[in-house]
Amino acid sequence: MIPEAHSVAESVFRQESGRIAATLIRISGSFDRAEEAMQEAFASALASWPERGIPQNPAAWITAAAHRKLIDRSRREKTHLDHEDSIRYHAETVTPPAGHNLNDDQQDMHLQDDRLRLIFTCCHPALRPEAQVSLTLKTLGGLTTAEIAKSFFIPEATVAQRIVRAKRKIEEARIPYEVPSAERLPERLAAVRAVIYLIFNEGYLSTAGDRLIRTDLCAEAIRLARVLCELLIDVPENQGLLALMLLHDSRRDARANAAGELVPLEEQDRSLWHRGQIYEGLRLVEQALKAGAAGPFQIQAAIAAVHAEAVIAGETDWAQIAALYGELQRFQPSAVISLNRAVAIAMSEGLEKGLELIDSLQAAPEFQSYYLYHAARADILRRIGNYAEALKDYRLALALAGNSVEQRYLQRRISELILFG
């Protein structure tokens, strides 16, 4: 009996399920069949590994087992004549033609990456944007339906319906599972970049649970952005996206202390920041901006670069950050960007002026359940010395925060104000 078999299977599922699912979807042409085969393969692993030992490459074992289950299912269905059309379609995709090697797929496309193909499939224009994001986060990001629902502030049932409809649309419309041709790439890139960044964001700041960071999701999003840059090397926004994620990810070891508690940016030990990622991110930002076609990801990367260049928090050029947020608003007018700009103005032009701007945003519908709005307002009030008002906003933020690490940080601020306020 190997007690660690279960934990290894869980780890493989958490870290590799997106890659395995992408491969199985390419083979089967069906999201549902791929998901079912993968679940059966993991069930087989839990039954087999404790007795026979953990294979040298558990992910490859799961992929091979799931592939065999797809083939077995296809063979069984061939006997049901009333499903003949469906069987023909799936049999063609599950069973390669005679003389065809699965590796030949690498020669059919200028890029061999099942996960990137899956993102482009999920981001097909035939699907609504919200369905694109939900399906990608569920299939490739490995998020649960509940986690996706929480990140979008919508009911879980709504997300589940979106995912079901999107999968049905892809299958019924026979949407090709491929990276589109060069001339069709531009119309799909914006959605693809948005989805990759959403995957990163969920890893960088988990919406729920007891972990602040999911490093597996951050790493996967960065890897996909690298592939995107290799695919289209002259698109500055792709470089901006990669630079933004590298610069954020460079701080991961400083964002929580040894006790697992959140450490805000200004209190972080900057010697823990990963200099290699910072250098690469800064180089990418500079390279992208030189192209003279600034876009939202490049501007956000430039903001992250300003933070990265400050040796200590007190040297942060908040005026430049406020100006960059102003520029970003031209591309993406939103209450959240206005809030970030207001904070930057508070730090550069005066706390009272920043607070006025924050208060002017209070009626924005998205802030009614957005804990960061209340946390930002509380922080400015605390710096001003208005502890009573700050306490109210920290408590509002605490009531809305979903991640237990952030909840503990907010609780610490509340306790400090009660003790020393």
Side-chain angles (χ1 to χ4, degrees):
M1 188 75 173
I2 302 177
E4 70 267 29
H6 194 276
S7 64
V8 170
E10 283 185 344
S11 176
V12 172
F13 185 84
R14 187 172 60 253
Q15 297 177 14
E16 300 285 351
S17 61
R19 182 185 65 77
I20 296 171
T23 299
L24 296 174
I25 291 169
R26 171 175 57 81
I27 293 171
S28 68
S30 166
F31 284 74
D32 289 336
R33 286 165 188 258
E35 189 173 296
E36 184 179 321
M38 185 169 69
Q39 289 174 350
E40 290 177 358
F42 272 103
S44 297
L46 291 175
S48 171
W49 293 357
E51 299 298 332
R52 299 184 180 181
I54 300 170
Q56 190 171 8
N57 188 334
W61 191 100
I62 294 289
T63 305
H67 190 185
R68 285 194 297 273
K69 292 179 183 302
L70 283 173
I71 293 173
D72 290 343
R73 175 171 176 167
S74 177
R75 286 172 177 161
R76 287 197 304 272
E77 289 183 344
K78 284 180 181 178
T79 63
H80 296 279
L81 297 179
D82 55 337
H83 291 155
E84 186 173 351
D85 288 341
S86 173
I87 293 165
R88 183 178 300 117
Y89 172 67
H90 291 297
E92 286 170 355
T93 54
V94 170
T95 307
H100 177 86
N101 187 318
L102 283 173
N103 291 331
D104 290 345
D105 289 343
Q106 294 183 6
Q107 300 171 12
D108 295 336
M109 300 175 61
H110 58 291
L111 179 73
Q112 170 66 14
D113 189 294
D114 285 335
R115 284 161 286 188
L116 195 62
R117 293 185 201 180
L118 181 56
I119 287 185
F120 273 101
T121 303
C122 293
C123 294
H124 193 278
L127 303 179
R128 297 172 66 85
E130 59 269 25
Q132 295 174 355
V133 172
S134 298
L135 184 59
T136 309
L137 291 177
K138 170 75 173 176
T139 307
L140 192 61
L143 272 65
T144 66
T145 304
E147 288 172 336
I148 298 169
K150 191 169 185 61
S151 66
F152 289 108
F153 309 107
I154 56 177
E156 187 174 337
T158 302
V159 174
Q161 289 170 0
R162 283 180 185 173
I163 292 172
V164 168
R165 283 197 293 265
K167 289 193 289 190
R168 189 184 303 144
K169 177 77 174 180
I170 289 173
E171 193 152 335
E172 290 176 352
R174 303 286 172 91
I175 290 174
Y177 184 67
E178 63 185 16
V179 175
S181 57
E183 61 270 20
R184 311 228 25 202
L185 272 174
E187 67 186 40
R188 308 271 287 279
L189 271 179
V192 169
R193 282 193 295 262
V195 166
I196 290 175
Y197 191 51
L198 279 169
I199 292 172
F200 178 84
N201 263 340
E202 182 57 34
Y204 189 72
L205 184 58
S206 298
T207 51
D210 56 5
R211 288 187 298 167
L212 182 66
I213 307 168
R214 288 188 59 183
T215 55
D216 55 329
L217 288 183
C218 291
E220 175 63 7
I222 289 172
R223 193 196 67 79
L224 288 168
R226 288 191 189 282
V227 175
L228 205 59
C229 286
E230 291 169 7
L231 178 65
L232 292 167
I233 58 175
D234 295 326
V235 178
E237 270 296 85
N238 294 346
Q239 296 172 324
L241 170 65
L242 177 57
L244 174 62
M245 295 191 294
L246 286 170
L247 291 167
H248 280 324
D249 193 58
S250 70
R251 306 177 201 147
R252 63 181 180 278
D253 290 343
R255 293 180 61 219
N257 60 22
E261 295 172 343
L262 183 149
V263 180
L265 182 60
E266 67 176 347
E267 296 176 13
Q268 289 176 11
D269 178 356
R270 299 187 179 210
S271 68
L272 296 176
W273 289 5
H274 292 251
R275 307 313 301 181
Q277 284 185 308
I278 290 175
Y279 294 143
E280 184 182 3
L282 294 177
R283 179 181 58 77
L284 284 167
V285 173
E286 184 179 357
Q287 187 176 323
L289 292 175
K290 277 182 179 175
F297 283 115
Q298 294 170 73
I299 297 171
Q300 291 177 78
I303 293 169
V306 175
H307 284 295
E309 287 173 330
V311 177
I312 58 174
E315 293 181 357
T316 304
D317 188 347
W318 284 105
Q320 187 179 2
I321 291 173
L324 286 167
Y325 273 121
E327 184 69 12
L328 185 59
Q329 278 184 316
R330 290 198 310 111
F331 290 95
Q332 293 178 330
S334 82
V336 173
I337 292 173
S338 297
L339 174 63
N340 291 337
R341 178 173 172 269
V343 171
I345 287 174
M347 300 301 290
S348 60
E349 299 182 29
L351 297 171
E352 296 286 357
K353 183 173 182 179
L355 183 61
E356 285 180 17
L357 290 172
I358 290 175
D359 286 345
S360 71
L361 300 169
Q362 193 168 22
E366 50 268 64
F367 287 161
Q368 304 313 305
S369 57
Y370 189 59
Y371 82 94
L372 286 174
Y373 171 81
H374 301 287
R377 188 171 187 273
D379 185 63
I380 300 298
L381 287 164
R382 177 180 61 82
R383 292 170 190 269
I384 289 173
N386 188 342
Y387 298 144
E389 283 296 310
L391 193 57
K392 289 180 185 175
D393 272 278
Y394 274 129
R395 283 173 170 156
L396 281 171
L398 177 62
L400 294 169
N403 184 288
S404 63
V405 178
E406 293 196 303
Q407 288 170 346
R408 289 199 299 276
Y409 168 77
L410 293 166
Q411 186 60 61
R412 176 167 73 85
R413 286 296 193 201
I414 290 170
S415 299
E416 289 171 350
L417 287 179
I418 291 173
L419 282 174
F420 306 112

